[in-house]
Amino acid sequence: MPEAFFGLATALFWLGDIAGTIANCEKAYAGFRRRPDPMFAAGAALALVGYNKGYLGNTAAARGWLSRAARIIENEVPELRGELLGATAYVTDDPAESEALARQAAEIGRATGNADLELMAMHAVGQALVQQGKTEEGMSLLDEAMAGVVGGEGHDPLTVAQMSCMTMVVCGSCFDLERATQWVQSLERFIDRYGCPFLYAECRTYYGRVLFENGDWAAAEALLTDAISMSKGVFPAPHAFASGTLAELRLAQGRDEDAARVLRGVEGREEAAAAVASLHLKQGEPSAAAAVLRRRLAATSHDRLDVAAVIELLGEAEIALLDSDAATARGRALVTLGAVNECHLIVAHGERLLGHALASKDVTAACAHLEAALAAFVQAGIPYRTAQTRLLLARVLGDSDREVAGAEARAALSVFEDLGAGRDADAAAALMRDLGVKAARAGPKNVGRLTKREQEVLALLGEGLSNPEIAERLFLSRKTVEHHVARVLSKLGLRRRAEAAALVARGAPEKPAREKPARDR
């Protein structure tokens, strides 16, 4: 029965089984064509467009299935023309053409009362506008479409998954971590019911980056490891992107050898250039870092938002090479790039680079730039970047205001210890000692408080239950349980679930504060 194959494909999609999803969807398609059932055959073909492009990055297969769906729809089921336009918009590489196609699909969705089609197409218009540099207009449409789907206007959970995934990609490419974080928070109820909607390797990597920036390093590690595994050997660009992002997390943890190991095989990919350069910088090789970064910048336009991190790193390499004038120019370019695209986090990274570049020439100006960066990072709730900036500010102030410098270094040390950023914590403690401030390393603390659901998961870990057993007990998906377990370990500063079980056996950790009602949050 082709319906059974199609249903199995959908179930495997939610479980993240790439090969099983595509294989069963292909069987469903073949069965619907033999029957014949053109409506369902076209639906299966359109699903294969998304699976091949989103999961595998196989544009040739995606275009082939798009052509197959188009032939069926044009000749037998014209009522699916809106879905065909939406799929075509997804596959095309021209953002202007994608916008035009998606607008047509949205009109059809509105005219026919097909909310899923209308919202997906509206979201696609927003993505296309962002790609064209019309960030504010595009993000406004993206937010509207997400509000509609999270608010229950659509009827298919797959719509939520696909739109959430693309939201993460768009926000990640624009450095809009605040917006990404806020939408993740809005998706909590959906995640509890269906599991993590960030199912493709690319959006899972962007979600991992958001968690990394927000300080949830254990959960970030789990997602990035999954993304690397699911893309290895089938999706080179997302595989390199995920590997590079995990390597950056490893470097933040002070695990240079592990970072180098993760990067093996992707060193030449542009998606991993920032991580490769960061590793060179950590190893005291600024010339090698600069070479990697200049090669990366030469391959793309400098006005693209996703090169912001590369520009900042090149500035840091130039500072290490004693070329502060070049680094100052990089900082100003970043500030301009962020301002033009209305991305205040890119502006903040530019301000931080300016502060570092000017530190040896003009302490007052350097501090002003660093204070601007610090305010933006604090506002965005990005702990690691905030602590890094505090430490840099402390170094700049060390000769002129030791009291303020000591306070900034102490605040940075506390965050680094909570996150598990050992090398940075050591650097902050060393600076404090140089400033005459007592600096005893405390080690990781209990980070945050456990939610009610996380307490339940911790209790079941104490019973020795596996993730599938916890999922069955709490009526959650396995992916959701993996996410909760990772958060529990991160908040309690633990590395393995066995440590969590031992903690429960010794007696519960500090009792969490009772959660506020949703209306009070």
Side-chain angles (χ1 to χ4, degrees):
M1 293 288 288
E3 291 87 354
F5 286 125
F6 196 73
L8 181 56
T10 301
L12 293 174
F13 170 83
W14 286 103
L15 294 172
D17 183 343
I18 303 172
T21 296
I22 292 176
N24 281 282
C25 198
E26 289 173 346
K27 291 177 183 177
Y29 169 81
F32 288 132
R33 288 302 280 164
R34 282 194 298 267
R35 184 177 287 177
D37 191 331
M39 176 72 76
F40 282 99
L46 289 172
L48 285 163
V49 173
Y51 293 148
N52 277 281
K53 180 173 171 61
Y55 261 142
L56 305 181
N58 190 334
T59 303
R63 291 186 184 280
W65 283 109
L66 182 65
S67 296
R68 203 72 200 104
R71 188 176 300 278
I72 298 170
I73 290 168
E74 289 167 1
N75 294 329
E76 302 177 71
V77 281
E79 56 267 41
L80 290 183
R81 182 171 174 269
E83 284 80 359
L84 178 62
L85 287 167
T88 307
Y90 178 54
V91 170
T92 184
D93 293 325
D94 183 345
E97 181 184 354
S98 179
E99 178 194 349
L101 291 166
R103 288 189 185 279
Q104 293 179 56
E107 286 296 328
I108 292 174
R110 277 190 286 273
T112 59
N114 186 336
D116 289 286
L117 174 59
E118 179 188 356
L119 293 169
M120 280 285 291
M122 180 188 297
H123 196 276
V125 172
Q127 295 172 53
L129 289 171
V130 171
Q131 288 178 314
Q132 295 173 62
K134 303 173 184 177
T135 307
E136 184 176 7
E137 183 183 357
M139 285 299 193
S140 177
L141 278 177
L142 183 148
D143 286 342
E144 182 183 349
M146 283 296 295
V149 76
V150 171
E153 288 186 41
H155 303 289
D156 189 349
L158 287 174
T159 303
V160 182
Q162 291 163 353
M163 286 176 55
S164 300
C165 214
M166 293 314 300
T167 295
M168 202 55 53
V169 171
V170 175
C171 289
S173 67
C174 292
F175 260 60
D176 199 341
L177 301 175
E178 284 183 280
R179 180 180 261 106
T181 300
Q182 289 163 2
W183 278 120
V184 168
Q185 292 168 347
S186 296
L187 288 163
E188 283 182 356
R189 281 183 296 176
F190 180 88
I191 291 172
D192 273 344
R193 183 173 182 184
Y194 293 99
C196 177
F198 309 114
L199 297 171
Y200 295 143
E202 186 177 18
C203 62
R204 185 163 289 203
T205 300
Y206 276 118
Y207 182 32
R209 164 65 72 178
V210 169
L211 293 171
F212 170 33
E213 296 288 353
N214 287 340
D216 196 346
W217 287 7
E221 181 175 341
L223 281 164
L224 294 171
T225 300
D226 281 349
I228 290 170
S229 176
M230 69 194 300
S231 59
K232 186 176 183 179
V234 294
F235 207 166
H239 179 69
F241 179 38
S243 298
T245 307
L246 181 59
E248 289 183 58
L249 173 56
R250 291 283 183 258
L251 290 173
Q253 295 169 325
R255 299 164 59 181
D256 294 3
E257 291 184 4
D258 289 339
R261 191 176 302 113
V262 171
L263 289 170
R264 286 175 190 160
V266 300
E267 299 94 331
R269 299 281 316 190
E270 67 175 39
E271 298 86 0
V276 171
S278 294
L279 179 59
H280 282 307
L281 284 173
K282 298 294 185 187
Q283 294 174 334
E285 302 168 346
S287 294
V292 170
L293 295 165
R294 291 191 181 107
R295 193 177 303 125
R296 170 72 175 87
L297 287 176
T300 188
S301 169
H302 288 207
D303 60 357
R304 279 181 48 182
L305 295 177
D306 58 1
V307 302
V310 176
I311 294 173
E312 183 182 17
L313 278 171
L314 181 52
E316 294 293 337
E318 287 165 341
I319 290 171
L321 292 168
L322 305 181
D323 190 353
S324 59
D325 289 341
T328 299
R330 303 279 180 201
R332 288 176 179 149
L334 269 184
V335 170
T336 300
L337 177 63
V340 167
N341 290 279
E342 300 175 336
C343 181
H344 68 277
L345 280 181
I346 291 181
V347 173
H349 280 272
E351 293 282 8
R352 188 173 70 177
L353 179 56
L354 279 170
H356 194 185
L358 293 171
S360 61
K361 296 181 177 181
D362 188 339
V363 170
T364 301
C367 288
H369 288 297
L370 291 173
E371 290 285 1
L374 181 60
F377 291 135
V378 170
Q379 176 66 31
I382 302 177
Y384 186 52
R385 307 304 172 192
T386 299
Q388 286 180 315
T389 307
R390 287 192 187 281
L391 181 57
L392 183 53
L393 181 59
R395 285 173 174 154
V396 174
L397 286 170
D399 292 331
S400 59
D401 195 331
R402 296 171 71 86
E403 183 179 340
V404 174
E408 295 292 356
R410 184 184 297 108
L413 174 61
S414 177
V415 174
F416 289 142
E417 288 188 326
D418 281 352
L419 291 173
R423 174 175 29 221
D424 291 299
D426 288 340
L431 177 60
M432 290 172 67
R433 288 191 292 271
D434 290 343
L435 293 169
V437 179
K438 186 177 180 180
R441 289 289 310 278
K445 305 172 184 177
N446 285 353
V447 182
R449 298 294 184 93
L450 300 184
T451 65
K452 182 178 178 181
R453 177 66 81 190
E454 288 163 356
Q455 292 179 59
E456 294 171 344
V457 170
L458 177 60
L460 296 178
L461 286 173
E463 295 179 21
L465 270 61
S466 65
N467 283 2
E469 290 169 333
I470 294 174
E472 183 177 357
R473 182 80 67 87
L474 297 179
F475 301 101
L476 299 174
S477 73
R478 294 185 183 184
K479 289 295 182 183
T480 299
V481 170
E482 290 175 11
H483 179 74
H484 284 314
V485 169
R487 288 185 65 86
V488 167
L489 296 180
S490 175
K491 286 185 176 184
L492 297 178
L494 305 175
R495 291 180 177 272
R496 294 179 293 276
R497 57 195 300 129
E499 294 177 3
L503 185 66
V504 174
R506 291 196 303 269
E510 181 182 357
K511 187 176 181 180
R514 192 168 68 88
E515 288 188 276
K516 295 180 179 180
R519 63 178 179 275
D520 295 330
R521 290 178 184 167

